[in-house]
Every structure is written in C-alpha cells, then in structure tokens.
Amino acid sequence: MTETEQPTTSPVELAAAYQPGEVEVRRYEQWVDSGAFSADPASDRPPFSIVIPPPNVTGSLHIGHALDHTIQDSIIRRKRMQGFETLWLPGMDHAGIATQNVVERQLAATGTSRHDLGREAFVQKVWEWKAESGGTILGQMRRLGDSVDWSRERFTMDEGLSKAVQTIFKRLYDDGLIYRAERIINWCPRCLTALSDIEVEHSDDDGELVSIRYGDGDDAIVVATTRVETMLGDTAVAVHPDDERYKHLVGTEVELPFTGRRIPVVADEHVDPSFGTGAVKVTPAHDPNDFEIGQRHGLPSLVILDERGVVTAHGPFEGLDRFEARPAIVAALRAQGRIVAEKRPYVHAVGHCSRCKTTVEPRLSLQWFVNTAPLAKAAGDAVRDGRVRIEPVELAKRYFAWVDNMHDWCISRQLWWGHRIPVWYGPAGEVVCVGPDEQPPAGEGWRQDEDVLDTWFSSALWPFSTLGWPADTPDLQKFYPTGVLVTGYDILFFWVARMMMFGLYAMDGRQPFDVVALHGMVRDQYGKKMSKSFGNVVDPLDWMDRFGADATRFALARGSNPGSDVAVSEEWVQGARNFCNKLWNATRFALLNGATVGSPEERSEAQRSDRGGSAEGPLPTELSAVDKWILSRLQHTVAEVDEYFENFEFAKACDALYHFAWDDVCDWYVELAKPVLAAGGAGAAAGRRVLGHVLDQLLRLLHPVIPFVTDELWSALTQQTSVVREAWPVVDRALVDDAAEAELASLQRVVTEVRRFRADQGLKPGQRVAATLSGLAEASIAAHESLIRSLVRLDEAADDFAATATVTVSGGVTVALDTRGSIDVAAERARLTKDRAAAEKEAAGCRAKLGNEAFTAKAPADVVAKINDRLTAAEAELVRIDAALAALPA
C-alpha cells in the first residue's frame, strides 16, 4: 500500500460488543472528576441555565423523572457543545407533608409519636433521616447521566434558601400581600394540616344524594346534599331571588332537625334554580360557596367537625366520625319522615389529599394566605407580552385559565417539618413579622407562630434562591433568568405559576425563565396511564440495569413531542439498545478499517482556529459520489436536528438521527464503502477520512440524548478524552450536493428492487447470480456498476447466459438475471402458490364482509376501514406473488 492509503492514526480496539454497565459508571466518574459539568460565572461565554425541578427528598427515580431529566440533559449538553456557559443546577425539595409522614411512620413502628418527642427533637430526627436515607434519587440521577453541576447542589431547607424564604415572606407581608384570616380551606383529617387547592386530587366517587325536608306544612322546604352530616352546621337555606316557588318563604325561618335551632331562608343569586329542588342548605363553616353566601348575608359559621373529622356539635351524634355520622343522621331523619328521596349510587367529584389520599374536608380555619391577585396578573402579563414563551403554545390557554382565576393561596401548614412562619405574637396582641437579619422579639409572653409554610412556597423561589438571592451573587448575575424550564404539564399550576409570581416580584419584573417547555405524562405502549392498580408501572432503574441508561433515554426521548403524552414499552427500549449496538459495530468497523478524523496535529490546529468547527483536519478535495452523498445527507441531518431541538421536538430529532445513522450510514454508506476500502488506493484513503468525519459528527449529534456510548465511541475514534465539551456540528453548505443525492437515490432504487426480487425468489443472501444491467448510463450511475453488483451479488454474464427473469426499475434501468440452477423452481412455485391461495382467501373474505350491507351499516367506521386496509394489502400481495410466479423459469 502507498503512504496515502495508510490511516493517519493507530487503530484503537473496541470490545466486540457494547457493555453499558462497564462503560457508564466509569464515564460518569470521569466527567465529574474533570469538572466537565462545572459552570463558571466569570466566563465570557453566553450563559444558559436550567434549574432542575427539585425532586422530593423522599423520592426515587420514576419513569416521569427519567423522561424529564433526559429532556433537560439533552438540552444542556447540546448548549454546552454550542459554546454556552451552561449551568444545570441540582437539588431537592424538603417535601413537608411527605417527609414528615415518613418519619412519623417510623416513630409509630416503635410506639412513639412526634408529640412524645416534642418539636425540636422531632425536627432533629427528620434531619437525621435525611442524612441517612434521603436523597436516594441523587445517586439515581448519576446513573441516568444527568450532567448537573454537583458543586451547586441545593436543598430547600439549606441555610441560604431558608434566608430567601424569610426575606420574601417579610417583603410580601410588609407590602400587604400576606395576611392571616379565617377562611374555608382544604383540610386533611389524616395529615392534620391545611392543603392548597393544587394539593387536592379530585376523582369521581360513588356517593349518595339525599333530599331532606326542613320544616313542616306550607313552610316546608326540601334541600339535597351529598354530605348529610354537615346539616348540623347549617345556618340558612338559600334559594334564587327569581324562583317563584320560594318567594313566599324568603325572610321566614325553618327548624333545623335535631338542633332546636331555627334558620332563615335567604335569597342569593349563587343558587341554581334548575338543580335539584332549587333550594340549598348553607353551611358556611364547611363549604367554600356556602361561606361566600354566609358572608353576603351575615350568617354565623358553626364548625361542627374537629380536625380529625369527628362531630363536635352537641347532640346524639357527638363523637362520631364524619363517615359514621352520615348513615346515622340519614337513619334518624328517615325515622322522622324527613327523607324525601335517596339516590344511590350518586357519582360526584370528591377531593382527596394528594399525599395520603384521605377525603379532604372543607373547613373554616384561621390560616395565612398570599393575596395572589397582583402577583397572578404580573405572571399572566409576562406570557402575554412575550417575556416568557410557553411551548407548545396551545398550552398557554391552560396557564391563563389558572392565573386569571387564581384564588388566594393558603400557605400555612400545621406541620413541624418546614420553614416556620416568621411571625411572633406578643402578650398584648402584638403581631411582628421578622426578617432574616432581624432579632425576634424577646420577653415573657412572646411566641412564634406554630405553623410552617407550604412546600410550594420555597419551591417558588427555586430559580433565584438557588443562585444566592437575596444576595446579588455572580451566579445570579450570570445565570438569571434561566433559559428554559422543562416540566410536565401536570404541574403547570402547582409550580410554574408560583415561580412566575415570586420571580417577577422578587427580581423587579425579570422573569425566572425565558421558555416553559411542557411535556406530557409517560404512558404504556397502549396509551394507558401507568398505575399500580393496572400493573403497568415501569421502573426505569430496571430498564437501565437490563438495557443501559442510553437505551432508556433514547426510547423516552424518541416518544417525546411538546405537550403530548409519551407512550413507551420494553420492546422500544430493546430497540434503542439495538441502536446503540449498531453504532458500536459501525464505529468498530471504522476503526478496524483505519477510519480517521485527521492527525492529532490537524485536530489541534482546527480547535485553536475555530471552536465552532469540527476540531479535525480538512476533508480530501477529491471525493467519490458516494462520499459526497453521505456528507450532503449529514448536512441535512444537522439542519433538521437543530430545528427540532430548538422547537423541543425531541421525538423528531431522535427519529432523524436514528434513520440517518441506521439507514444512511450503516445500511448504505458502510456497505458502499466496504468494496472501496478493500480495493485500496486514493479512494480508500478518502473513504476512511469521510467515514471518520461522518461518525465523528454523528456521535456529537447523538451525544446529548445517549451520552455514554457516544462518549466511549468518540474517544476511541478520535483518541481524545471526551466529547462533552467538543463543538456541536454546524451545517457546511459547501457540502450540500443535490446531484450526488440524486445519483445515489438512483443507485439505491436499483439495489432495493433487485434485493426485493431476490427475496421473493427465495435466493440466499450470499448466492451469486449472473446478470446484465442496462440503462445505467441514462440513470447517471454507470460508474457504480461494480458497486451495484457487489451489493446484490450479481456476476458478469458468461457466454451461456440466458435471461430467465427481468427486474425493471424506475428511471429506465433493467436488470436481466439468469436464475437457472439458482433456485429450486418447483419448490419455489409450490411455496408461492400456497402463499397466493392464502392471499386470495383473505381478499375473498374481506370482499364478502364489505359486500354485506348489514355489516357495513352496523359496524363502526374504524372497523370497516380496517377491513378495507386488509383487502388493499391482500390485493397488493396477489400482484406481487403473480409477478414472482411469472418470473420463474419454465
């Protein structure tokens, strides 16, 4: 071989097969140890930052996390390669209710309660639990490949973040945006705390609708309720002012059974006269709508259930649990003849605690609230005026529906684990809110508020508190506002709106992020919600153990479209693993055949001269049409992937990369290159260089989504340390070659049609057949005849050549083949005849169904459409088989 035929670098050996477990831990440790993920606020590079949605300290990596983190990691890795100073900031949420429940259960197992310990000792016990058992998910994030800056890890109860919480509470309080009042709130009788609206999960449950007669004779009025036990706290009956049926009763009183109290009949426009009897019982202390009616009419509010849902009203039902009291009261009313109607089952919406699933009880309670009106308006304006973009745009209407109709936010929780409300009460009724740099009041009789803040209160500060706010730190100056928030659409209200409100308020109108990129929920392959009760819940750690982190990531990302749910199955993860293996084998082939990315000296010079380039030496000036074709396809792929990434269309980006890698590179270019590489000479040298370049660029493009295998392969290919901070590929318009693409498309059509013919005739893949090819010059592919013959195992025609079969390809190419002796004609004819009979039977059955008016009139449209599709497929199969039979030699 001449000098030009030799690779410029020594070949590097790769193992025969990819072993994810051997690569992943080693690669991740190398990344972290080298500081590959560290952010530098002093850098002159443009900033790009993401703050991770902080998982609960009690949590572990579930399939939703795996999707969310894969998307974020893909974004941040690409931005890092594009030359941005990137920060992906990790951390955890203290998860007030969830964490307190965990520790309380541990104490209960030993016969102890938090009250036995006392507040200070209990909180210390939670900190001990956090140190020993909390944060499991952080290690699992490493397994997934999260390229976060671990030096900046945060926790919502850290000293710095606690200072931020106290600071913003004080500011909001001083501005009149935090207040304390008696209001109807959602109460969990199990967790013994108030809940915000977004911590309540609603479901349609079976219940009963009971109609009760209040009063007797002409003054009687019938009301209907699903919560009979609350009648003990009724302080009025309400009707619509225009309801003629009850006008004579408005202003009168009726006797409330069991209580000895007489309650007024009031007129209120809130009442729907068309629902039920048109009259409703009013229980201001146990229903939010009733509370508003009570406020308008000056009605008293009687709390008749205690914090555990036990009846406190004096009388025969005192001491009963709410669900015990309900049937007891119904039975007592029935005995009095006051039950007018009972409807069972009656399906209605019931709220449940999102943590423990206990039925929530609306309850009048003294709590702390945020006045959200001005904050929510600012949050809506930031999206309307374009400071913040929601992707996909159609989900913006959900955001507006929430922020434009937001109720005041109940922020106090009756817990011990969390940020304690920084308010002190004095012996003479004084109320003092204390800032982080102020001393709380001292002296006898002063006490701090017992409640803690809603977990979402501190999470709402996450984009700026984690960067050092309220101090004006270098991190805050460099990385705020963050570039994008990636999260599921299911917490658009929980978290996104709250971060918008507090970010705009604390940061003088500067939004916490420029883009909100929303993705959907992960579902099974049939689109069904994952649930333990359905038995279809997937553990991503199991998939990572069996198929590797890259395969898990690629399967999830390939199903992710903006705002849409993601269907995934084990088979798709297996397919993603096969894809990783395909890349491994292609790179291994390239290395064994001397593929190059330029000499080390050329690469160093390229890196010094232009970071945005490929960090490799120049490509050869003399290139074959095949080389020009793959380089042109590469440019189109880079452009497509860039567009899809910018639009958060990860499924399309992965699909484009998959087909370029598998189809263009592996199935076509590598196969086309094999005979060239084997022949040697200048063409082989150029081919090695182009193959190395294409794989170099492909591995860079794939790295954000499948970082482990690409880093291992890229390092072997280039003999450099890591691709993590290498330049992202850019389109080189000079390499776009439409003529080469058209030429290779013609070649591919010929090869594909001949391969299809061979398969139809039952020819073995390695079996060679004599053939003549005509029309190649007219199709502009005459120069590729030897390649075509190599790819489809066609020999030159000998003197005794006889064309027994012909393949005609669009574009005017004809391939005549001599199949004598190549196939068992009788066996092949028998096989095809059998297949034809089966296809004819299928077609006849479909025609019979479609010709039956009784069937087509009654069957669903999609069923009829499927029968039509089956008929079309069967008829196409008949055409194919007939052509194959005709092509058989006599």
Side-chain angles (χ1 to χ4, degrees), residues 13 120 138 173 198 279 346 664 730 890:
E13 266 193 52
E120 187 174 336
L138 299 180
Y173 181 87
I198 56 178
Y346 179 75
D664 292 344
V730 293

Side-chain angles (χ1 to χ4, degrees), residues 666-849:
C666 297
D667 283 358
W668 284 106
Y669 183 68
V670 167
E671 293 305 311
L672 290 166
K674 283 179 180 177
V676 176
L677 295 175
R688 286 194 294 268
R689 182 68 187 83
V690 171
L691 179 58
H693 172 78
V694 170
L695 286 174
D696 164 55
Q697 298 292 284
L698 174 60
L699 293 171
R700 293 172 193 245
L701 290 169
L702 282 164
H703 177 72
V705 182
I706 49 174
F708 293 107
V709 68
T710 52
D711 205 47
E712 187 78 357
L713 293 176
W714 189 87
S715 295
L717 181 70
T718 64
Q719 299 185 48
Q720 297 186 71
T721 305
S722 174
V723 75
V724 169
R725 287 188 173 270
E726 293 298 317
W728 178 254
V730 293
V731 175
D732 185 345
R733 296 295 174 190
L735 294 177
V736 175
D737 194 323
D738 294 338
E741 293 201 47
E743 186 174 330
L744 265 291
S746 295
L747 181 152
Q748 288 172 323
R749 283 194 295 271
V750 173
V751 171
T752 300
E753 287 302 317
V754 174
R755 281 175 172 170
R756 182 179 292 120
F757 171 82
R758 290 177 60 101
D760 289 343
Q761 297 302 313
L763 292 170
K764 295 177 181 179
Q767 190 171 359
R768 303 196 69 84
V769 178
T772 61
L773 289 78
S774 59
L776 295 180
E778 290 77 5
S780 302
I781 54 174
H784 302 299
E785 181 173 349
S786 61
L787 268 179
I788 294 171
R789 288 183 177 276
S790 174
L791 289 172
V792 291
R793 308 294 191 270
L794 299 180
D795 288 334
E796 295 283 352
D799 293 340
D800 62 344
F801 176 82
T804 58
T806 302
V807 178
T808 302
V809 184
S810 61
V813 176
T814 300
V815 182
L817 301 99
D818 185 351
T819 60
R820 293 174 302 172
S822 299
I823 58 174
D824 183 337
V825 177
E828 182 62 12
R829 191 180 300 280
R831 183 183 72 82
L832 290 171
T833 301
K834 182 179 179 182
D835 290 348
R836 193 186 191 288
E840 182 56 50
K841 182 179 180 181
E842 167 74 357
C846 293
R847 291 190 194 102
K849 285 187 177 181

Side-chain angles (χ1 to χ4, degrees), residues 525 538 542-543 546-547 555 568-576:
Q525 66 195 88
V538 168
D542 173 57
W543 278 354
R546 293 160 58 201
F547 309 118
V568 70
S569 74
E570 182 171 307
E571 289 75 16
W572 300 341
V573 184
Q574 290 174 336

Side-chain angles (χ1 to χ4, degrees), residues 75-334:
I75 292 171
I76 208 76
R77 283 181 183 270
R78 174 172 173 265
K79 289 293 185 181
R80 188 181 290 122
M81 295 174 76
Q82 287 181 312
F84 287 83
E85 189 61 39
T86 57
L87 169 61
W88 188 17
L89 193 148
M92 294 184 299
D93 190 281
H94 65 278
I97 295 177
T99 307
Q100 180 157 319
N101 282 345
V102 167
V103 179
E104 284 200 79
R105 283 195 295 270
Q106 289 185 346
L107 291 175
T110 65
T112 309
S113 73
R114 63 180 167 119
H115 300 285
D116 295 329
L117 292 180
R119 183 171 195 141
E120 187 174 336
F122 176 77
V123 170
Q124 181 58 38
K125 182 70 71 174
V126 180
W127 278 109
E128 291 171 4
W129 175 88
K130 190 254 182 186
E132 294 172 5
S133 307
T136 299
I137 195 171
L138 299 180
Q140 295 166 344
M141 287 163 54
R142 290 173 177 261
R143 284 205 57 196
L144 189 64
D146 286 9
S147 61
V148 296
D149 185 344
W150 290 109
S151 69
R152 287 173 165 81
E153 182 187 333
R154 298 291 183 264
F155 181 56
T156 49
M157 289 283 285
D158 283 347
E159 182 179 349
L161 273 66
S162 296
K163 182 176 182 179
V165 167
Q166 198 171 352
T167 299
I168 201 164
F169 187 100
K170 171 71 170 173
R171 289 189 187 179
L172 289 164
Y173 181 87
D174 290 345
D175 286 346
L177 295 173
I178 283 183
Y179 64 93
R180 193 180 191 219
E182 275 199 325
R183 296 283 187 274
I184 290 286
I185 48 88
N186 303 296
W187 181 266
C188 177
R190 158 62 183 80
C191 297
L192 299 179
T193 183
L195 306 173
S196 64
D197 290 342
I198 56 178
E199 292 172 300
V200 178
E201 296 176 347
H202 291 275
S203 60
D204 290 333
D205 295 358
D206 286 344
E208 60 180 350
L209 182 67
V210 181
S211 298
I212 310 168
R213 188 184 77 252
Y214 288 1
D216 297 297
D218 293 338
D219 294 335
I221 191 166
V222 177
V223 298
T225 181
T226 58
R227 297 197 302 150
V228 176
E229 67 280 5
T230 63
M231 67 165 288
L232 301 174
D234 287 358
T235 56
V237 173
V239 298
H240 193 275
D242 299 331
D243 194 331
E244 295 293 336
R245 294 172 295 176
Y246 302 116
K247 280 196 172 181
H248 68 289
L249 292 178
V250 175
T252 67
E253 293 183 341
V254 294
E255 184 171 338
L256 184 67
F258 311 128
T259 66
R261 291 189 288 111
R262 295 187 66 79
I263 58 176
V265 178
V266 300
D268 195 279
E269 292 188 351
H270 170 75
V271 179
D272 179 2
S274 65
F275 178 76
T277 64
V280 297
K281 59 191 285 301
V282 181
T283 320
H286 292 280
D287 183 276
N289 293 320
D290 291 4
F291 178 79
E292 298 297 330
I293 294 174
Q295 292 290 295
R296 288 193 288 272
H297 296 277
L299 301 174
S301 297
L302 305 180
V303 176
I304 54 89
L305 294 173
D306 70 9
E307 61 184 11
R308 297 185 183 275
V310 174
V311 175
T312 59
H314 295 301
F317 311 106
E318 184 176 3
L320 293 180
D321 175 81
R322 54 184 171 156
F323 296 123
E324 296 172 338
R326 185 174 297 172
I329 293 174
V330 170
L333 289 168
R334 189 181 296 113

